[in-house]
């Protein structure tokens, strides 16, 4: 009977010790493993990203005539959603997918990626300009990351194209509780719907795939591992375990 009591006392302690340790595989990125997902190879996201309402575009027109260039790059035009930054114009895409461009007026960019948007803007400017250079790029790239990261919230993308690992780095990395195998990404679509998928960032085969890149307006959610749900793991210290062990030994002694 005493042996049974001893086993009953030791069993919870062993269970606590077992679940309090986070396995090394839960902590490592880019592991060599068999993938259960068929990844689609992608090298450039800007060609796949379709412009959406409230996106901002940086647009600059350059010609051989400085005065003519200045005309198209100043507030003399009719665009009401313009602001200057680094000598480039930033235009907001409205709810009808239009930008209001100086002299050319409204230009509809529905269904356009950056390349198609550039072609449309260039076509609308050709009646007024014979030879010119046009720069068009995304101007308000940001993503939102929530859950088990050091700095959750909305973050600016440091460049036009970033990877999931760069996004996590911008957010200060995952906490010890972050579940790396099931990172959820919610991606707005041009038609107003949302595409949701899970990413295993411990899988090295993710590199170069469509899931490797973060798009503007993406929402990233990092779920907690089970250890946090049990209230142990990162904060489970040797001192706590020592106290529990001392308590167990005391109980065993008293029950003899």
């Amino acid at each position: 009977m005493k042996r049974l009591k001893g086993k009953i006392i030791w069993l919870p302690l062993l269970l606590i010790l077992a679940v309090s340790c986070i396995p090394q595989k839960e902590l490592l990125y880019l592991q060599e493993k068999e993938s259960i997902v068929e990844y689609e190879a992608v090298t450039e996201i800007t060609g796949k990203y379709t412009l959406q309402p409230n996106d901002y575009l940086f647009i600059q027109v350059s010609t051989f005539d400085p005065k003519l260039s200045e005309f198209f790059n100043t507030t003399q035009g009719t665009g009401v959603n313009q602001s200057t930054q680094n000598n480039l114009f930033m235009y907001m895409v409205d709810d009808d997918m239009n930008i209001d461009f100086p002299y050319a007026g409204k230009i509809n960019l529905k269904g356009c990626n950056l390349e198609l948007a550039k072609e449309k803007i260039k076509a609308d400017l050709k009646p007024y300009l014979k030879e010119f250079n046009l720069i068009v790029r995304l101007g308000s790239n940001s993503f939102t990351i929530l859950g088990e990261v050091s700095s959750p919230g909305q973050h600016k993308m440091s460049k036009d194209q970033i990877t999931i690992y760069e996004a996590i780095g911008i957010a200060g990395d995952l906490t010890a509780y972050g579940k790396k195998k099931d990172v959820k990404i919610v991606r707005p679509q041009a038609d107003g719907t949302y595409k949701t998928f899970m990413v295993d960032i411990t899988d090295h085969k993710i590199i170069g795939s469509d899931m490797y890149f973060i798009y503007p307006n993406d929402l990233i959610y990092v779920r907690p591992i089970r250890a946090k749900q049990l209230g142990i793991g990162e904060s489970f210290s040797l001192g706590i375990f020592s106290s529990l062990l001392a308590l167990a030994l005391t109980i065993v002694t008293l029950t003899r």
Side-chain angles (χ1 to χ4, degrees):
M1 186 66 179
K2 289 182 178 180
R3 288 184 178 179
L4 180 59
K5 286 183 178 179
K7 289 181 179 179
I8 293 173
I9 292 170
W10 281 105
L11 182 58
L13 290 174
L14 291 174
L15 288 174
I16 291 173
L17 181 61
V19 297
S20 66
C21 299
I22 301 175
Q24 187 181 28
K25 278 195 172 183
E26 296 289 343
L27 302 175
L28 298 177
Y29 293 103
L30 301 173
Q31 299 175 34
E32 296 282 343
K33 56 198 265 186
E34 290 296 326
S35 302
I36 60 174
V37 178
E38 290 294 332
Y39 295 111
E40 177 188 353
V42 171
T43 57
E44 184 179 15
I45 68 167
T46 51
K48 297 192 68 176
Y49 179 72
T50 303
L51 295 177
Q52 300 174 27
N54 300 318
D55 276 345
Y56 279 84
L57 294 177
F58 277 120
I59 303 174
Q60 183 183 41
V61 179
S62 300
T63 71
F64 291 108
D65 185 345
K67 291 186 177 180
L68 191 58
S69 297
E70 184 181 355
F71 174 82
F72 281 97
N73 293 311
T74 64
T75 55
Q76 294 179 25
T78 58
V80 295
N81 294 316
Q82 305 172 18
S83 63
T84 56
Q85 181 174 332
N86 298 326
N87 297 321
L88 295 176
F89 252 173
M90 187 164 64
Y91 295 81
M92 188 184 76
V93 181
D94 66 21
D95 291 340
D96 296 319
M97 294 303 301
N98 295 315
I99 60 168
D100 203 353
F101 200 79
Y103 206 69
K106 291 187 180 296
I107 302 175
N108 188 268
L109 303 177
K110 185 176 181 179
C112 290
N113 58 13
L114 280 180
E115 185 177 350
L116 289 175
K118 184 176 181 178
E119 290 179 4
K120 274 200 168 185
I121 296 169
K122 184 175 288 188
D124 281 26
L125 291 178
K126 278 186 176 179
Y128 314 106
L129 298 170
K130 291 183 178 180
E131 295 185 10
F132 64 97
N133 184 50
L134 185 66
I135 297 174
V136 179
R137 63 182 179 86
L138 289 171
S140 59
N141 305 359
S142 65
F143 66 94
T144 301
I145 186 166
L146 302 173
E148 293 299 324
V149 292
S150 298
S151 180
Q154 188 178 61
H155 296 275
K156 293 292 184 182
M157 296 170 67
S158 54
K159 49 189 176 182
D160 287 346
Q161 180 168 307
I162 67 171
T163 69
I164 179 67
Y165 299 105
E166 288 175 308
I168 290 171
I170 292 170
D173 204 357
L174 273 61
T175 69
Y177 290 123
K179 193 168 186 179
K180 296 180 175 65
K181 294 182 180 180
D182 293 304
V183 176
K184 180 181 287 187
I185 296 179
V186 180
R187 180 163 294 164
Q189 304 296 296
D191 59 2
T193 61
Y194 292 86
K195 177 182 178 182
T196 302
F197 53 93
M198 308 300 292
V199 176
D200 180 359
I201 58 175
T202 69
D203 189 352
H204 74 287
K205 291 184 180 178
I206 192 176
I207 295 178
S209 73
D210 186 35
M211 296 181 181
Y212 185 55
F213 297 102
I214 293 301
Y215 287 36
N217 307 312
D218 274 359
L219 169 63
I220 307 168
Y221 175 61
V222 182
R223 298 192 297 172
I225 59 176
R226 186 175 297 275
K228 184 171 186 178
Q229 297 172 356
L230 296 173
I232 53 181
E234 187 178 37
S235 61
F236 189 87
S237 66
L238 183 60
I240 295 174
F241 179 71
S242 299
S243 299
L244 291 172
L245 180 59
L247 177 62
L249 291 174
T250 302
I251 295 173
V252 171
T253 302
L254 293 175
T255 55
R256 285 182 178 179

